[in-house]
Amino acid sequence: MSVVLTMSIDCLASDTLRLKDGSRLSDWLVSQGHDVGSYPVGLSWQVPAQREAQSILKHRLLARLGTENFGESAEARARLAQWLRDLPVTGRVPLPVVDARWLQAHPERDPILDAEHLLVMPRRPATLKVISSSARQCAIRHVSGTEAGAYLRRALGNSADAVDMAWIVQPDGRVQRVNVANWNMAAQDEPAPGAWIWAPERDANWPNDFSQALAEFVATQGVSSAISASDCNASATEIATQSNRDPARAPYISSNDWGFAGLMQTPTARMAEAGELRFQYSSVFPYDRGSVVLQPLDWLEGGFRYTNIRNRFYGPASLSGNQAYKDKSLDLKFRLVTETATRPQVALGIIDIGGTGFFSSEYVVASKRIGDFDWSAGIAWGYLGAAGNIKNPLSVINSSFSARTGNTTSTGGTIGINSFFHGPAALFGGVQYQTPVDGLLVKLEYDGNDYQHEPQFNNQTRRSPINLGVVYRVTPTIDLNAGIERGNTLMFGLTFHGALDKMGVAKPLDATTPRVLSMRPTKEPDWKQTATDLEAQTQWSVRQIQRKDSELNIVLESVFGIYVTERLDKAVAVLHRDAPEGISRFVFTFTEGGIAFSDWVVLRDEWVAKRVRYRAAAEQFEAIAAAEPRSRSDFAPLWAASPNKFTYGYAPTVGRILGGRTASCCINLAW
């Protein structure tokens, strides 16, 4: 059951508050009071202007169902197509939050309601619906605390094991793709009452982009209980028996002793998210390692490492004193194959590429996850494979692979390509277990190094090839590692890690940007002060402010720096605060040496609307756009800076020339 409300000029059935066309959604929510049976999470705000885009999306889905050969069967495609045809094009726009007080505090997220808009407030549903890859629908009674996997097991039975990913359409219109299989399970939100779950089986070949588009169209329909009949029904008792399990968790990617994603001494095929940076320190006698590792791409991990060899001196003792030997190296790891339900993830790595070659090694490793256990196995050459427990498999191709030529140098800097994948090889492997204790990992591995071929004749006693360790994630960015290696040596490690795209630095010295309000000044401002504020916000030099009719032109000199649109936003905030009501366009002219090379045009109304109200995508267009510069000789000057008679600047430079580095400083003078 739903209540459909149409905004009108007069009111919305309220004796205490008469809402006129142009009122805010928050005002309407306040006027409704508290209704126990209503379901604000599923409130549907329908905007006619949005229907065209949704109609196009619907026709594209139907066209693909009719022309492309994917899905479980032709019958399933036909059944899904018929269901889609019966669904209306609503024009629904997702709402960020349906809370009157929150919306009042965030006017930029509070929609302004027009006369043609519709509000549909559903009654609170008790069920949600699962749509299978055969296009069958199953209504299941909602159970609080239950994730998508449990609903799939009830609706699909054993077929749920063949579902890797599901698309949850929440009643508020959000679409979430979640991993639900044993090999890719990750943290996820539980479906709310009235949600839809689209669950294509992996062998049904439904393309991911089609599934995403289908879910986005279904999100325009509102709560699932209000649309179409169900092919099956399940009670709360039936589903509750399958939901008694811990919430799904994303697997932890942790560092090994070398700083790379791995177990302890051995690597795995795992990769962190692109953009992650790690600083890692590990100590296992006689080696202390400090590593900086970056994940620039999803498939590439690279790092630089210093190794302190505690029981070797840096040169003759008479010269080095207590200085222990230092070794530096560069490492790379490449992902070759991504993991699926039936195949492991595979990676290839090279250690100590350009250093002395003391620890040079190459490896190929595969990793496969099964629930909380992440298994790895691989083959290594060089240092990691020094045990030589198998014959080099590449020797079948060429006998030269059987021997590893000398690849170490006293000074480093030489890449030993001729030794890559040569010499005896060794198998290695292990498992990482994510314990029920949040943040605690246990690692067990079989080491491929016997430590009887250490650099500088620094061989170590190994009582066991089995290494055992634990990792505790103290905070989301700090890991502590400890363990026993070689059966007789303690290991300790500390890792700092974080995503570069989520890091930020507070800028307390930056000028405060003016708050954006709907109201506008009625009088001319002090344009000199406006120019001063513009320079403080942007660090650009303002040369002139001029006007003609509804257009305000700001001439800027020596425009520099990145994030141009962010600086323009700051500048427009100043101009909107100061410029009289009759000005509707701001044009920033970028110049260099008095010559204009670019214009940036800002539509004031559109720029302000983006910051003071929430609108459908179809009702928006770009507020800032670049344009070719044009002459504005007929504009009336409002303010102009005094001409510079003398300018100067200086900049240090550092360069590299053959034989060493050079540093210099140049000074530019102009008058």
Side-chain angles (χ1 to χ4, degrees):
M1 175 180 177
S2 298
V3 180
V4 181
L5 305 126
T6 305
M7 296 303 302
S8 67
I9 288 289
D10 297 324
C11 66
L12 276 174
S14 174
D15 296 331
T16 58
L17 181 63
R18 300 176 65 84
L19 301 178
K20 297 182 179 180
D21 180 38
S23 61
R24 298 273 185 171
L25 174 62
S26 58
D27 298 331
W28 179 82
L29 290 171
V30 169
S31 73
Q32 298 307 297
H34 179 67
D35 182 352
V36 176
S38 66
Y39 193 45
V41 173
L43 178 66
S44 178
W45 174 41
Q46 299 179 7
V47 179
Q50 199 66 22
R51 292 174 187 161
E52 181 179 359
Q54 294 176 7
S55 179
I56 292 173
L57 175 60
K58 178 178 180 178
H59 286 299
R60 286 176 177 171
L61 289 168
L62 290 171
R64 294 189 66 179
L65 287 170
T67 59
E68 297 184 31
N69 187 23
F70 57 73
E72 187 171 281
S73 64
E75 180 185 357
R77 292 197 302 274
R79 189 182 302 113
L80 188 62
Q82 184 57 53
W83 179 65
L84 273 175
R85 290 189 191 96
D86 295 338
L87 295 181
V89 176
T90 65
R92 184 191 188 187
V93 178
L95 293 165
V97 175
V98 185
D99 180 275
R101 301 308 178 192
W102 187 93
L103 292 171
Q104 288 173 342
H106 300 81
E108 73 280 2
R109 309 298 283 173
D110 192 3
I112 295 178
L113 304 174
D114 295 336
E116 69 271 15
H117 293 179
L118 291 178
L119 289 175
V120 180
M121 177 67 80
R123 310 304 292 176
R124 181 178 177 84
T127 63
L128 53 79
K129 280 187 180 178
V130 173
I131 307 174
S132 69
S133 58
S134 61
R136 301 290 184 185
Q137 298 184 44
C138 186
I140 302 178
R141 189 165 295 276
H142 178 267
V143 177
S144 179
T146 303
E147 294 179 342
Y151 293 113
L152 297 185
R153 287 189 293 276
R154 178 63 189 91
L156 307 178
N158 293 334
S159 298
D161 295 333
V163 177
D164 293 330
M165 290 177 291
W167 279 257
I168 301 175
V169 180
Q170 299 286 12
D172 63 0
R174 287 178 300 135
V175 174
Q176 300 170 320
R177 191 178 79 170
V178 297
N179 296 330
V180 296
N182 213 20
W183 65 271
N184 69 348
M185 189 76 70
Q188 57 194 260
D189 294 337
E190 63 180 80
W196 304 80
I197 305 178
W198 162 242
E201 296 180 19
R202 73 175 70 99
D203 295 333
N205 300 318
W206 292 96
N208 286 347
D209 63 332
F210 176 87
S211 294
Q212 181 68 29
L214 175 64
E216 289 173 359
F217 183 75
V218 171
T220 67
Q221 301 302 305
V223 296
S224 58
S225 58
I227 301 174
S228 65
S230 174
D231 298 312
C232 73
N233 291 278
S235 69
T237 303
E238 292 171 317
I239 190 64
T241 60
Q242 302 187 40
S243 61
N244 296 325
R245 57 166 57 190
D246 294 329
R249 299 179 294 175
Y252 282 166
I253 305 299
S254 60
S255 300
N256 64 6
D257 296 355
W258 303 77
F260 273 59
L263 296 174
M264 299 177 72
Q265 283 289 323
T266 64
T268 66
R270 296 305 176 197
M271 297 279 183
E273 292 185 3
E276 178 166 293
L277 178 66
R278 291 196 295 274
F279 296 92
Q280 197 252 12
Y281 168 81
S282 69
S283 178
V284 52
F285 186 84
Y287 304 118
D288 298 328
R289 298 184 177 96
S291 305
V292 180
V293 179
L294 176 65
Q295 185 85 41
L297 302 167
D298 290 334
W299 52 269
L300 175 63
E301 190 177 34
F304 176 80
R305 181 179 58 261
Y306 256 104
T307 302
N308 182 63
I309 306 177
R310 280 188 270 165
N311 61 350
R312 292 292 185 269
F313 291 113
Y314 199 84
S318 59
L319 299 177
S320 63
N322 295 326
Q323 179 69 259
Y325 188 88
K326 305 293 190 298
D327 182 76
K328 59 184 178 182
S329 59
L330 179 69
D331 310 333
L332 292 172
K333 183 167 75 173
F334 306 88
R335 186 184 66 199
L336 304 180
V337 178
T338 56
E339 184 178 12
T340 68
T342 57
R343 73 181 182 219
Q345 184 158 299
V346 180
L348 178 148
I350 305 175
I351 294 177
D352 203 356
I353 296 175
T356 59
F358 284 171
F359 302 99
S360 66
S361 186
E362 306 81 48
Y363 60 86
V364 177
V365 61
S367 297
K368 192 76 183 74
R369 181 185 171 204
I370 304 176
D372 290 329
F373 294 88
D374 194 9
W375 301 85
S376 295
I379 180 173
W381 297 260
Y383 185 82
L384 295 184
N389 53 34
I390 64 168
K391 180 181 178 180
N392 189 339
L394 297 178
S395 62
V396 176
I397 301 174
N398 192 313
S399 60
S400 64
F401 282 101
S402 298
R404 192 176 184 91
T405 58
N407 64 321
T408 61
T409 65
S410 60
T411 59
T414 302
I415 300 178
I417 297 177
N418 293 333
S419 66
F420 285 177
F421 303 101
H422 284 67
L427 297 176
F428 65 85
V431 61
Q432 173 181 288
Y433 170 58
Q434 191 165 346
T435 70
V437 179
D438 190 34
L440 181 63
L441 306 176
V442 176
K443 296 181 176 183
L444 182 69
E445 70 175 4
Y446 176 85
D447 196 345
N449 186 359
D450 60 4
Y451 301 92
Q452 301 307 301
H453 306 83
E454 296 297 287
Q456 299 179 313
F457 306 102
N458 197 11
N459 297 342
Q460 303 296 311
T461 302
R462 186 186 75 165
R463 292 185 178 177
S464 171
I466 304 299
N467 300 329
L468 176 65
V470 295
V471 178
Y472 181 66
R473 183 149 292 180
V474 181
T475 73
T477 59
I478 301 176
D479 291 352
L480 289 177
N481 306 54
I484 299 177
E485 299 185 6
R486 307 179 215 143
N488 56 9
T489 307
L490 294 177
M491 183 279 295
F492 170 79
L494 175 64
T495 306
F496 297 91
H497 54 92
L500 291 176
D501 61 340
K502 295 181 176 63
M503 295 181 181
V505 178
K507 300 178 180 179
L509 299 180
D510 279 7
T512 302
T513 304
R515 183 183 177 188
V516 179
L517 302 173
S518 299
M519 62 186 69
R520 304 178 186 191
T522 57
K523 299 185 299 183
E524 291 284 321
D526 179 354
W527 290 110
K528 180 179 180 181
Q529 184 60 48
T530 299
T532 300
D533 292 346
L534 286 173
E535 291 183 343
Q537 291 288 338
T538 65
Q539 307 302 310
W540 295 336
S541 177
V542 181
R543 307 309 304 159
Q544 192 174 13
I545 300 176
Q546 51 190 359
R547 175 182 180 178
K548 180 182 179 182
D549 300 328
S550 62
E551 183 174 311
L552 188 71
N553 178 227
I554 302 90
V555 181
L556 303 169
E557 179 78 16
S558 301
V559 178
F560 62 90
I562 56 177
Y563 309 119
V564 172
T565 55
E566 285 81 352
R567 295 188 188 215
L568 286 174
D569 279 334
K570 291 175 177 287
V572 176
V574 172
L575 293 176
H576 176 67
R577 179 198 66 189
D578 295 350
E581 185 175 8
I583 294 176
S584 61
R585 283 163 54 99
F586 303 130
V587 180
F588 296 87
T589 299
F590 291 0
T591 67
E592 189 66 44
I595 300 175
F597 63 87
S598 177
D599 275 356
W600 286 84
V601 180
V602 181
L603 303 178
R604 186 179 188 178
D605 290 344
E606 183 66 20
W607 187 90
V608 172
K610 286 177 178 288
R611 287 153 182 81
V612 300
R613 62 174 292 192
Y614 185 65
R615 294 182 299 170
E619 297 179 328
Q620 301 184 39
F621 53 92
E622 289 299 324
I624 301 178
E628 291 293 327
R630 65 181 179 87
S631 173
R632 292 182 173 83
S633 57
D634 56 342
F635 275 49
L638 300 176
W639 174 87
S642 301
N644 288 326
K645 295 182 178 180
F646 177 80
T647 62
Y648 70 92
Y650 62 91
T653 61
V654 177
R656 177 176 287 276
I657 62 174
L658 187 62
R661 289 186 296 271
T662 181
S664 63
C665 180
C666 59
I667 299 178
N668 298 320
L669 303 177
W671 59 87

